[in-house]
Amino acid sequence: MAETGTLSRRQLVHEYEAVIVGAGGAGLWAALELARSGVKTAVLTKLYPTRSHTGAAQGGICAALGNHEEDHWEWHMFDTVKGGDYLVDQDAAEVLAKEAIETVIELEHMGLPFNRTPDGKIDQRRFGGHTRNYGEAAVRRACFAADRTGHMILQTLYQQCIKHGVRFFDEYHVVDLLIDGGQTRGVVAYRIADGEIHVFRSGAVLIATGGFGRMFKITSNALSLTGDGVALAYRRGVPLEDMEFYQIHPTGIVGIGILLSEAARGEGGYLRNDSGERFMERYAPKLMELAPRDMVSRAIYMEIREGRGINGGDYVYLDLTHLGREVIESKLPDITEFARVYQGIEPITQPVPITPTAHYAQGGIPTNVDARVVVDEVNTVLPGLYAAGECACVSVHGANRLGTNSLVDILVFGRRAGRSMAKDVAGQGLPDLDPDASEPVRAEIEALRGRESGESVNRIRTELAAVMWERCGVFREGAGLERLTGEVRDLRHRYANVKVEDKGLVFNTDLLEARELGYLLDCAEATVAAALARTESRGGHYREDFPERNDTDWLKHTLIYRTDGDPQLRYKPVTITRFQPKPRVY
Amino acid sequence: MQVDLRILRYDPERDKKPHWETYRVESAPMDRVLDVLNAVKWEKDGTLTYRRSCAHGVCGSDAMLINGRNRLACKIRVDQLGKKISVAPLPGFAVIKDLVVDMEDFFAKYRSVHPYQIDERPMPVTERLQSPEDRARYDDTTKCILCAACTSSCPSFWAKDTYVGPAAIVQAHRFIFDTRDEGSDERLEILADADGVWRCRTIFNCTEACPRGIDITRAILEVSSAIVERSV
Ligand SMILES: Cc1cc2nc3c(=O)[nH]c(=O)nc-3n(C[C@H](O)[C@H](O)[C@H](O)COP(=O)(O)OP(=O)(O)OC[C@H]3O[C@@H](n4cnc5c(N)ncnc54)[C@H](O)[C@@H]3O)c2cc1C
Ligand code: FES
């Protein structure tokens, strides 16, 4: 196999047994597994690996270690299922809760600097929706490294990848997935440094490109989180699952959405309205501030709507002042600094103004528990394609993800992806590849670069984010979603005529932002269509015109397929093993 | 508030050498420099080029020279700088385009100090124990986000670009002082080299530049002392 690129026609072709797109937690752990199995692997990432958004995760990673109090993986599994409003596939939740434990232990063995208990074990704190004995009271399950848990996970995994000699292609922007005749054949990447097109021929491709929070105006997500892998799969005929369940996190910095971790409430922080009341008492008397995120976000919006926002305005307070300097500075140093730098607030003495912020893609590319992509109601595998991390939907989060369960998800299923790929490529040759495989996307890019007049990327992106936030955020209703469908359709038409100013080859971020807007528009189309169709309220999908959960008609996953016209919707059953659906009270 | 943003621009496909351009932009009260760079790129000149991702100081993408100091554009507010702001790429690094510099050598130096845990002993079935005090010993240096603000601010690095630089030493420190790690000897050996810690002249630029508030000079001194102790 050719180690470095060989030139064939006008494309550089690389050959690898396995290709990983994305170097966040999911991609890196998969890479590590493949390296350990001796599989020739390339990791492609549009950012330097340590810039991936896994590094922004703050609060923690749950595992039923029981270092402070009794805990069991069954309780973790139950909380995950209930938190997800019973839309979770329970076979996957079982894997998640069980393997969380060995995953956290392995992270420690790799050198992750967890905070420690006085007797030297991994320290654990409370987090929303994680309970003892099937809902009795909050339990200390979240393992953490101050409030930079994700940073330490990303660093530790990257360090291990260096140790194991993983081959990285940094600042390679993947622009197409090669799937032909029902078989995955590789990817096409655009080298950011010089605009060169590179083809990676491979029979095993993992998509680990993270989320797409940038389709909303207010978001905790990095500018780079534009749903690239999700949209590329969708364009290549893979359905997307449960896209309507986008998670809105309760506590973001007003106006800009930077996250203030749930760890602040896990350590004992309160939410207060204008009269100083801890209003969660009225919404979730048992768990209060530590109720699941969808409930807390709705509660905050209700307070604001009913005029109980601070000074009647559109925010409430996160109050940490009673925790004391010592707890705040040692356990929450980063978010304390965010409040200082980005709001000019001193959390030790002042309550912090917050509003909900778009945070996490619960839907995505459907996979089975081995991270193999599945494309229909009966979970038929698409050979050679894998997905893990935020871009995937296993589904362990169902209609609402619990805090800390994403870090578990990306690592447990990133690891499983690596193992599945190693198993599947053993003894297999590389797939055949059409020598012109990169032509369609090259033509798209050249057309974009060559267009002399047209619409501004920024205008379309800003309008998209505004209407998505307005009509597809915490509260939704039929008429608004109908209108939004038309708005997104119009934006897509305008996008077809978008123009970039930078015509160069070297580090052309103008061009790449235009590509990324295309991905966001695809994700938005799927989200809105799925949200309009689902006439019930469940977890993060709240329809004011259908405020109740309706298990008779809607206890099922959405699958959405791209067509030349309107997207096509299909549904698949939820896997239920141990826990029958019940009303969700906290 | 109106701000005059002076940016050192360079496009290798068009320019022979870098040149300054000034843009007048409107900025809102809590805006950061990254917001005004975005305003220029998105509304005035799409060719302006810089790296960015998280926009809140945790990913390390957007370190640059802002009003004469290395900082993260997303972590310094416009109102902290005033009405005239100048922005240039990180000093001491080759410029690729505008504010984007070549990071390859920086990451190669990072890799050269073996920045990963070395402990080949058999692992227990549960976690290894570490006391909170032992954990605190290396806490500071675990905060590093590899933004290169420190290395790029260091006169010793400007003078001799083979110097491994403060960022790589910080990364080594994080393992050398971790009780779980067994690789101190090999790392100290690497850093005892002519291009290792001895090039540090304790000028403190790195410490001042660090957007994560790491006491870098102190970390370097601790590593130097460890090298001395080891050799006696
Ligand atoms: C502020 C914040 C705090 C959070 N805190 C927590 C927490 O405490 N606990 C928890 O469980 N979860 C938390 N989450 C969620 C969790 O961090 C993320 O869901 C998770 O890290 C995603 O990891 P990932 O590996 O899927 O993707 P990412 O880490 O987002 O990585 C995506 C990768 O894909 C690459 N990529 C993307 N597109 C392309 C392309 N076109 N070509 C090439 N490469 C590409 C990127 O370069 C990057 O390497 C938090 C999220 C945020 C935003
Ligand atoms: S953009 Fe991530 S540190 Fe500034």
Side-chain angles (χ1 to χ4, degrees), chain A residues 417-447:
Chain A
R419 290 181 181 173
S420 298
M421 292 166 85
K423 198 150 107 199
D424 295 353
V425 300
Q428 297 288 318
L430 291 182
D432 294 335
L433 189 63
D434 174 355
D436 291 327
S438 67
E439 276 316 311
V441 73
R442 181 199 302 275
E444 275 175 38
I445 290 174
E446 285 322 314

Side-chain angles (χ1 to χ4, degrees), chain A residues 23 25-26 45-46 52-54 57-60 174 228 360 390 404 406-407:
Chain A
T45 166
K46 67 177 179 180
S52 304
H53 212 55
T54 292
Q58 302 167 358
V174 171
D228 307 15
Y360 182 82
E390 190 169 335
T404 76
S406 171
L407 291 176

Side-chain angles (χ1 to χ4, degrees), chain A residues 256-505:
Chain A
I256 47 179
I258 294 172
L259 194 77
L260 298 176
S261 171
E262 194 170 300
R265 284 170 285 137
E267 292 294 347
Y270 299 149
L271 292 172
R272 296 187 192 278
N273 61 18
D274 195 40
S275 58
E277 179 202 12
R278 280 179 71 189
F279 56 85
M280 283 311 297
E281 256 159 14
R282 282 183 277 113
Y283 300 89
K286 217 187 301 177
L287 288 190
M288 301 278 286
E289 281 87 355
L290 291 179
R293 290 176 177 173
D294 58 322
M295 294 181 145
V296 181
S297 288
R298 270 196 299 279
I300 294 172
Y301 263 63
M302 289 308 291
E303 292 301 295
I304 291 171
R305 270 194 182 181
E306 288 169 11
R308 292 190 291 273
I310 305 304
N311 300 321
D314 54 4
Y315 61 93
V316 297
Y317 280 144
L318 171 64
D319 184 0
L320 308 178
T321 53
H322 56 287
L323 299 180
R325 178 181 294 273
E326 160 65 23
V327 169
I328 293 178
E329 287 191 339
S330 69
K331 298 213 168 142
L332 307 166
D334 280 6
I335 63 167
T336 308
E337 197 181 10
F338 299 155
R340 288 176 186 147
V341 176
Y342 300 114
Q343 292 182 289
I345 295 284
E346 175 47 70
I348 294 171
T349 54
Q350 293 174 286
V352 186
I354 55 95
T355 51
T357 180
H359 184 58
Y360 182 82
Q362 290 155 157
I365 304 167
T367 71
N368 61 23
V369 292
D370 295 313
R372 295 190 174 95
V373 172
V374 292
V375 293
D376 57 21
E377 300 80 343
V378 291
N379 293 321
T380 306
V381 169
L382 172 61
L385 195 63
Y386 309 77
E390 190 169 335
C391 66
C393 180
V394 193
S395 129
V396 285
H397 308 306
N400 171 67
R401 169 173 78 84
L402 293 187
T404 76
N405 266 357
S406 171
L407 291 176
V408 185
D409 172 10
I410 67 175
L411 302 182
V412 164
F413 294 101
R415 183 165 78 152
R416 282 179 160 247
R419 290 181 181 173
S420 298
M421 292 166 85
K423 198 150 107 199
D424 295 353
V425 300
Q428 297 288 318
L430 291 182
D432 294 335
L433 189 63
D434 174 355
D436 291 327
S438 67
E439 276 316 311
V441 73
R442 181 199 302 275
E444 275 175 38
I445 290 174
E446 285 322 314
L448 186 56
R449 201 197 306 270
R451 199 171 295 132
E452 286 303 331
S453 67
E455 279 256 18
S456 122
V457 170
N458 184 50
R459 195 161 314 135
I460 298 177
R461 187 173 49 205
T462 309
E463 286 179 33
L464 173 72
V467 291
M468 285 298 288
W469 187 235
E470 176 76 26
R471 292 187 241 296
C472 206
V474 172
F475 291 119
R476 303 162 172 185
E477 46 88 33
L481 291 168
E482 298 267 11
R483 186 168 159 202
L484 182 57
T485 307
E487 287 165 330
V488 172
R489 193 186 301 124
D490 289 348
L491 290 169
R492 290 173 66 89
H493 286 147
R494 284 165 58 189
Y495 176 74
N497 190 34
V498 86
K499 177 194 82 159
V500 298
E501 284 176 46
D502 195 336
K503 308 292 183 197
L505 289 169

